[in-house]
Amino acid sequence: MANKKLRVLVAMGTRPEVIKMAPVVRALRARPDTFEAIVCATAQHRQMLDQAMAVFDLKPDIDLDLMAPGQDIYDVTAKVLLAMRPVLAERRPDIVLVQGDTTTAFTVALAAFYARQRVGHVEAGLRSGDKFQPFPEEINRILAGALTDYHFPPTAGARENLLRAGYAEQNVLVTGNTVIDALFQALPRARAEGDVAGLRLDPSKKLILVTGHRRENFGPGVQSMCEAIATLAKTREEIEIVYPVHLNPNIKGPVFERLGNLPRLHLIDPQPYLPFLALMDRAHLLLTDSGGVQEEGPALGKPVLVMREVTERPEAVDVGAAELVGTDRERIISGVCRLLDDPAHYQRMASAGSAYGDGTAAERIVEFLATKLKPAS
Ligand code: UD1
Ligand code: UDP
């Protein structure tokens, strides 16, 4: 009798989950004799999820289509949990893979636990040590971890966090971050296409690429970030700023209101991964509160100024590739100005190196699964 294939349900809800799970799906599908991969989109994000999927030629096998404009985390949690019940009952996966710290990741893991199915957690073990930073992600990843059978931390530090929490060593595998796999896979295409979001950028200017969307920064934090960006745009003629604005209305509203119509500042829609990579590649520095950008920036040799008070990604700060500047207007401005005015400081950050893996994270995860989940013949 032929061996039964291992059925792996790969869950993804938001843009970064697609980017970080695409290499895993690809690695699973490269071993069709061993694995059947089912892509399950909760579609906690809609346009941004579809945009990210298209780049990797991914199509959901199951699309729960749950996004509603202005949804809050109660809505997403409740809807994902209920929608996953029939999916897991019908598909009966051998394992459910979730990624990171979104509400999709936590809630799908909870649904799999209720269905008594195994869970693998990609990008496990990140901790800021502060329950509210980021909110709700710090608690989402702790809860996802509690529901997980196999943990895939990206770094040795994340592994230590898991071992300290009492998880068994044999179920914890350091893999690197799959975002580096995605980056390596997509960068040659981004460079070949050379599309920087359709913008005609001034080659004589230093490009600052901005992203921001964290919930704990809504309100005063976003206002203060916008004030800093506005001051930089008005006072530093040698720079050009590109800011693809997240679709969350709590971000989009205030950002367009405060930063519309400023010189050398382009507010644009969220970009597909390839033009966004091309923008990062072209940038002088990155100003962000995004998790993924903190990992990608150092791999591209771009200094990252992190607009947060704490980070669960300390490795980039420790090697000197990233610096925490918080959301205080003056600290953001002085962080940017120092990079613009002090070439030695810029060079140190730009050449500090990457801390998030070698682009083989997905292979490691898939090999581990193949070994651990030997199918019955
Ligand atoms: C979510 C995740 C966050 C992750 C981020 C990546 C949670 C609680 N938050 O935050 O961890 O870092 O995604 O970007 O899981 N919207 C659209 N179209 C889209 C996407 C969002 O219109 O394609 C708008 C909708 O009004 C939606 C709102 O943004 O209701 C918020 O989306 P949601 O997924 O709840 O939170 P994010 O802030 O995107
Ligand atoms: N990204 C993108 N288009 C954009 C902005 C970001 O493709 O306009 C990518 C970015 O390269 C990274 C990921 O989206 O891989 C980060 O997503 P986000 O900042 O929304 O979430 P986080 O990483 O903070 O969870």
Side-chain angles (χ1 to χ4, degrees), residues 14-16 44-49 67-73 76 101-104 136-137 140 213-215 218 246-249:
T14 65
R15 168 172 69 192
Q44 173 180 337
H45 283 178
R46 187 70 273 172
Q47 303 92 317
M48 287 161 62
L49 176 116
M67 199 199 87
Q71 71 206 353
D72 67 17
I73 47 185
V76 180
D101 50 23
T102 65
T103 294
T104 288
E137 290 84 2
N140 280 349
H213 67 84
R214 300 248 80 90
R215 271 180 163 71
F218 289 177
H246 194 287
L247 294 179
N248 193 319

Side-chain angles (χ1 to χ4, degrees), residues 239-373:
I239 65 172
E240 189 165 19
I241 301 173
V242 174
Y243 183 170
V245 185
H246 194 287
L247 294 179
N248 193 319
N250 297 294
I251 296 292
K252 196 172 173 177
V255 167
F256 274 89
E257 194 175 310
R258 181 62 188 93
L259 297 180
N261 300 317
L262 284 172
R264 300 178 306 283
L265 169 56
H266 311 273
L267 295 183
I268 58 174
D269 286 333
Q271 290 300 303
Y273 192 47
L274 296 186
F276 188 76
L277 276 186
L279 281 167
M280 276 200 287
D281 201 28
R282 162 76 170 71
H284 188 65
L285 68 95
L286 310 172
L287 186 56
T288 189
D289 66 16
S290 159
V293 176
Q294 288 176 65
E295 294 149 350
E296 293 161 332
L300 290 166
K302 306 296 174 177
V304 185
L305 296 179
V306 184
M307 295 187 288
R308 295 171 54 181
E309 298 303 335
V310 290
T311 181
E312 61 290 323
R313 292 168 168 88
E315 297 85 359
V317 177
D318 292 345
V319 298
E323 183 189 338
L324 293 177
V325 292
T327 54
D328 176 70
R329 176 179 175 276
E330 296 310 320
R331 276 178 68 202
I332 295 171
I333 294 172
S334 71
V336 171
C337 288
R338 185 164 175 221
L339 280 168
L340 292 174
D341 297 333
D342 180 347
H345 173 60
Y346 181 90
Q347 208 37 52
R348 272 194 305 275
M349 284 190 79
S351 59
S354 168
Y356 298 105
D358 59 3
T360 60
E363 287 298 338
R364 289 167 204 246
I365 291 165
V366 167
E367 181 54 35
F368 180 94
L369 293 178
T371 312
K372 281 275 182 182
L373 306 177

Side-chain angles (χ1 to χ4, degrees), residues 94-98 105 108-110 112-113 117-121 144 147-152:
D94 294 295
I95 189 163
V96 174
L97 295 184
V98 300
V108 170
L110 181 60
F113 167 68
Q117 291 167 2
R118 269 178 295 217
V119 176
H121 188 197
L147 300 159
T148 289
D149 298 279
Y150 302 128
H151 308 258
F152 302 111

